[in-house]
Amino acid sequence: MHDPDYSFAEYAFDTRAIYAGQRPDPTTGALMKPIYQTSTFEQSSPGEHTGFEYSRSQNPTRMALEDCIASLEGADFGTAFGSGCAATTTVLHLLEAGDKVVSSDDIYGGTRRLFVQVMEQMGLEFEFVDMTDLEAVDEAVDDQTTMLWVESPTNPLLKIYDIEAVCEIGHASDALVAVDNTFMSPYFQQPLDLGADLVVHSTTKFINGHSDVVGGAVATNDASLAEQLFFLQNSIGAVPGPMDAFLVLRGIKTLGLRMRKHASNAQAVAEYLQGHGKVDRVLFPGLESHPQYEVGQKQMSGPGGVVTFYIDGGLEASRRLLETVEVFSLAESLGGVESLIEHPAIMTHASVPPDKRAELGITDGLVRISVGVEHEKDLLEDLEKALARV
Ligand SMILES: *Cc1c(COP(=O)(O)O)cnc(C)c1O
């Protein structure tokens, strides 16, 4: 059962990360939530059951995870999914054919692909705007608009949007506002407090944090939206398995610890790169040179762990750097304890059309780093050695 008593609402984030949703097992006292690796549950008489019937509908391990994520987002309701894309897909099913979604322009490549190549075919309409321009957001929202989709900071350019202002614009037209909070995790940003109706996560990233699970989640404070989400979660069936739910629950216990270290390492990396002669420009929410630094200070309690920069010399230079680093792994994804480096134009954002990439600034010299929790010195030395060979 989803149990509000176990939200531990009165405790601080780090404490909730360890306990929320996880009461000790009543039969054995097991401290860790067991992995209920079962598809079905015995009933004592037809229709008489413990509250658990079938694992697509309810699974105790998954529900512990859902309650924990809800608690961390300051939400009353949480739902977990098999991936971030599954979470996004389920949220979009709150809408109907003919509805329009106004979305931020610089979004996760897979989200854009889902919007344009899948959901448009099913009758939803999407308009992409640069949400740093609030007038443009206001103009894009029309009578048909039923949802605003916001990713902040954005991927890969780390643009920061004023979530509170965007929510005001959306709500003035009775549109829902959904915020993809993957890059900040609930530790650094809580969109529901800023006015959002729904917060969406790829738990694959910082929330799990160990690069061993693909998962997603959605949280909300609105009981009627939550009811629809539970209905859609069960109807569409894009749920995570119990083992994955267990792993994410375990990862979450150190979310606060990890985010603090991700952020301090990332700050050091960003400052180092900013002073390097072969680097053109560094984008990082923790640098005062960030174009939306003030907005970030207002709505985020830390800068996160992703650093993006433009290297001099385009593709040849970025390729050389990515092939030369040793501590950093050349791989897609982000938010794990290990540092990753990648080339958005060739890797994560290859599904964005080339003209669109050029318009957004995703050029051949653009490199994205997910800074892990290794020792800062090893990361800086690795970058120094690799940049020397560029
Ligand atoms: C990875 C990611 C997603 C998609 O999540 P998956 O778990 O890979 O399906 C969505 N949004 C953002 C910001 C992401 O980084």
Side-chain angles (χ1 to χ4, degrees), residues 82-86 88 107-108 110-111 151 153 155 180-183 201-205 214-216 333-334 368:
S83 70
C85 286
T88 304
I107 53 173
Y108 178 68
T111 303
E151 204 180 298
N155 180 7
D180 180 335
N181 199 27
T182 301
F183 267 45
H201 279 286
S202 167
T203 55
T204 313
K205 314 297 168 52
V214 171
S333 196
L334 58 105
R368 188 188 78 186

Side-chain angles (χ1 to χ4, degrees), residues 35 78 125 139 151 164 166 169 212 233 277 285 323 372:
I35 305 162
E125 200 188 299
E139 261 168 49
E151 204 180 298
E164 214 166 358
V166 171
I169 295 172
D212 50 11
Q233 181 192 40
E323 286 172 356

Side-chain angles (χ1 to χ4, degrees), residues 2 55-59 62-63 66 78-82 86 90-91 93-94 216-218 226-240:
H2 286 276
S55 273
R56 171 162 36 69
S57 317
Q58 315 95 0
N59 178 277
R62 184 183 92 214
M63 287 159 83
E66 293 174 333
T79 44
F81 296 91
T90 305
V91 165
H93 278 81
L94 293 166
V218 182
E227 195 180 322
Q228 290 177 69
L229 281 171
F230 288 127
F231 170 79
L232 291 170
Q233 181 192 40
N234 186 36
S235 303
I236 296 170
V239 292

Side-chain angles (χ1 to χ4, degrees), residues 77-130:
F77 309 97
T79 44
F81 296 91
S83 70
C85 286
T88 304
T89 300
T90 305
V91 165
L92 289 172
H93 278 81
L94 293 166
L95 310 182
E96 290 174 5
D99 287 356
K100 175 173 149 182
V101 178
V102 172
S103 167
S104 46
D105 58 357
D106 181 31
I107 53 173
Y108 178 68
T111 303
R112 181 182 281 269
R113 179 175 55 205
L114 176 65
F115 286 0
V116 176
Q117 295 186 46
V118 181
M119 291 296 165
E120 256 181 21
Q121 275 63 40
M122 307 196 71
L124 292 181
E125 200 188 299
F126 295 87
E127 182 172 345
F128 297 94
V129 292
D130 177 353

